[in-house]
Amino acid sequence: RQRQMCIRDSGSSVAAVGDLNVDGIPDLAVGAVGDEWDDIWGYNKGAVWILFLNTDGTVKSHQKINNIEGNFNGALDNSDEFGSSVAAIGDLNGDGITDLAVGAHGDDDGGPDKGAVYVLFLDYFPVDLDHDRMPDVWEKRHGLNPNINDANEDSDKDGLPNIIEY
């Protein structure tokens, strides 16, 4: 059974990035070279979409990464086509999370159409099911129950509530 999500010019590249939202289901990075096509933001700057999947392959939620969203600080110009290639490159910075190399084959920063590769240090998607303002992944790392609002408790008995330690 085939499932689709409509993102302009997506699928030019796809990479498995592990389980970024810590729900037990692997997630995907998908390049969308034609993303951003209008008079305000420009055209063909490109984007990478992180797709958080359900067990049946449908998309549960997503995070767009480009020069406007997703905490990416690169300067993308028209026709850079960021996302023309994506590759999971392991954990370069030692934080336990897969990092991503993203190609922009039309990037002009080094000369006309020389291209560029950006390394994105990914992070966990901050799911907070109990709405205590502490991401579930942080709670799991520190031995807290992500299903119980324990922000004001002092689980390690050091005089500081959990939310302050976060």
Side-chain angles (χ1 to χ4, degrees):
R1 200 158 92 170
Q2 187 175 12
R3 303 275 181 184
Q4 294 183 39
M5 180 176 172
C6 294
I7 301 171
R8 182 176 168 76
D9 291 330
S10 65
S12 58
S13 54
V14 178
V17 292
D19 183 12
L20 296 178
N21 60 347
V22 196
D23 64 356
I25 305 163
D27 303 310
L28 295 175
V30 177
V33 296
D35 202 86
E36 298 307 334
W37 186 274
D38 60 43
D39 293 333
I40 297 170
W41 300 112
Y43 59 92
N44 290 353
K45 289 182 177 185
V48 172
W49 290 78
I50 305 296
L51 304 181
F52 304 101
L53 302 177
N54 292 305
T55 55
D56 66 357
T58 57
V59 176
K60 179 184 310 182
S61 62
H62 56 80
Q63 172 65 57
K64 183 178 181 178
I65 302 171
N66 66 1
N67 63 324
I68 300 168
E69 300 177 55
N71 294 324
F72 175 69
N73 296 320
L76 298 177
D77 299 314
N78 291 338
S79 300
D80 276 359
E81 296 187 353
F82 178 73
S84 56
S85 57
V86 297
I89 54 175
D91 179 15
L92 295 183
N93 60 350
D95 64 357
I97 305 165
T98 299
D99 299 314
L100 193 65
V102 180
H105 71 252
D107 193 288
D108 293 329
D109 294 347
D113 295 326
K114 294 287 185 184
V117 174
Y118 294 90
V119 175
L120 306 183
F121 297 103
L122 299 180
D123 200 354
Y124 288 113
F125 185 72
V127 175
D128 183 17
L129 296 176
D130 58 4
H131 306 289
D132 62 2
R133 301 180 324 275
M134 297 182 297
D136 293 350
V137 67
W138 186 87
E139 290 187 89
K140 288 177 185 178
R141 279 190 210 150
H142 293 86
L144 303 175
N145 185 336
N147 297 312
I148 296 174
N149 185 331
D150 48 9
N152 295 317
E153 294 179 20
D154 181 12
S155 299
D156 58 4
K157 311 287 188 236
D158 66 355
L160 295 172
N162 296 331
I163 190 68
I164 296 298
E165 291 191 50
Y166 165 69

